[in-house]
Amino acid sequence: MSTTSYRFIIADDHPLFRGALRQTLETQYPDASIEEAGALEDVTASLEKDGDVDLILLDLSMPGMRGFSGLMYLRAQYSGVPVVVVSANEDPQAIRRAMEFGASGFIPKSHGIEVIREAISAVMSGNVWTPPDVDLTADDGSGDLVQRLATLTPQQVRVLMMLSEGLLNKQIAYELSVSEATVKAHVSAILQKLGVESRTQAVIAASKIEAGQWQLGTDEQAAVEAQ
């Protein structure tokens, strides 16, 4: 048990699981400040107000997230804040992806409280933690694409997320409070960095590394292609 004061953010859209994680953290770090967030925008709002956070516990599937996009955005925008993914997805490929995109750890939700405490303690000590039975060195041939995606700026990640949702340039411009010309510039930069020629190819490229989590539906693809 530590008496050091830390600040944690628990980002998950399930109140019961947030409560369980809070209880775990309160037992392990009784003097810690703990905030809860049910959507990615809540996390970013908290960080914009005060970026001095020691650890974010992040679910991969909650409002505002598309696969690893939220993790990509947080690591790009707030690179000094460690993020540990806590997910129901236990696919080894998903775990490897999360680590490649800069997570400090990956904790499957099926693991018991003691394992979760061990994992958090390891990360807070400056280490990384993943399930011991997962081979992080396995290569599925998409390492180059992962590296390309990792070069996107925070704003470019947001634009790519919105492209994958089928939003038009003017809709993206409205959401980001920028001009359509700025959006077009971001799209051009995204295409160049990913080495693709169209918006659709950019979204498809991103979906390839999302382990089934960032899927482009038929209607969304039609919207992207129409732009």
Side-chain angles (χ1 to χ4, degrees):
M1 183 176 295
S2 172
T3 57
T4 302
S5 179
Y6 293 113
R7 181 178 172 217
F8 299 102
I9 297 179
I10 301 172
D12 194 295
D13 62 339
H14 292 90
L16 290 178
F17 190 76
R18 288 203 308 267
L21 277 181
R22 171 182 280 275
Q23 187 173 21
T24 299
L25 289 172
E26 288 176 339
T27 301
Q28 196 168 5
Y29 304 99
D31 296 326
S33 170
I34 303 172
E35 300 174 35
E36 297 183 23
L40 181 61
E41 65 179 357
D42 298 330
V43 180
T44 57
S46 180
L47 289 169
E48 287 172 5
K49 184 167 56 177
D50 182 359
D52 186 16
V53 174
D54 294 286
L55 184 65
I56 299 173
L57 298 172
L58 180 73
D59 185 22
L60 288 177
S61 55
M62 65 177 184
M65 303 274 283
R66 291 184 70 87
F68 298 106
S69 59
L71 173 61
M72 291 168 58
Y73 177 76
L74 291 175
R75 293 302 299 138
Q77 182 71 27
Y78 306 99
S79 58
V81 180
V83 179
V84 168
V85 173
V86 185
S87 176
N89 187 343
E90 300 185 29
D91 183 349
Q93 182 175 318
I95 296 173
R96 287 192 292 269
R97 286 286 175 270
M99 302 308 291
E100 288 170 343
F101 282 123
S104 295
F106 192 110
I107 308 173
K109 287 186 175 181
S110 63
H111 283 35
I113 294 299
E114 288 305 317
V115 175
I116 293 176
R117 285 177 179 164
E118 173 191 331
I120 293 174
S121 178
V123 173
M124 294 301 292
S125 297
N127 302 308
V128 298
W129 192 95
T130 57
D133 58 342
V134 174
D135 181 7
L136 296 179
T137 64
D139 183 11
D140 62 4
S142 59
D144 179 65
L145 177 57
V146 170
Q147 292 178 2
R148 287 174 178 269
L149 283 165
T151 67
L152 299 181
T153 66
Q155 197 78 320
Q156 288 165 2
V157 172
R158 294 181 70 185
V159 170
L160 183 56
M161 290 165 62
M162 293 178 184
L163 289 179
S164 72
E165 295 169 2
L167 297 187
L168 303 172
N169 281 350
K170 62 181 179 181
Q171 294 172 312
I172 297 175
Y174 175 79
E175 291 292 332
L176 298 181
S177 299
V178 298
S179 68
E180 286 191 51
T182 298
V183 173
K184 290 180 180 179
H186 282 314
V187 172
S188 295
I190 291 169
L191 299 185
Q192 182 177 11
K193 287 184 176 182
L194 298 188
V196 296
E197 298 179 354
S198 71
R199 301 158 70 101
T200 300
Q201 289 177 350
V203 176
I204 291 175
S207 71
K208 289 179 180 178
I209 54 84
E210 290 298 335
Q213 296 184 63
W214 190 346
Q215 298 298 325
L216 185 66
T218 302
D219 292 343
E220 292 172 335
Q221 181 168 334
V224 172
E225 290 175 339
Q227 297 180 59

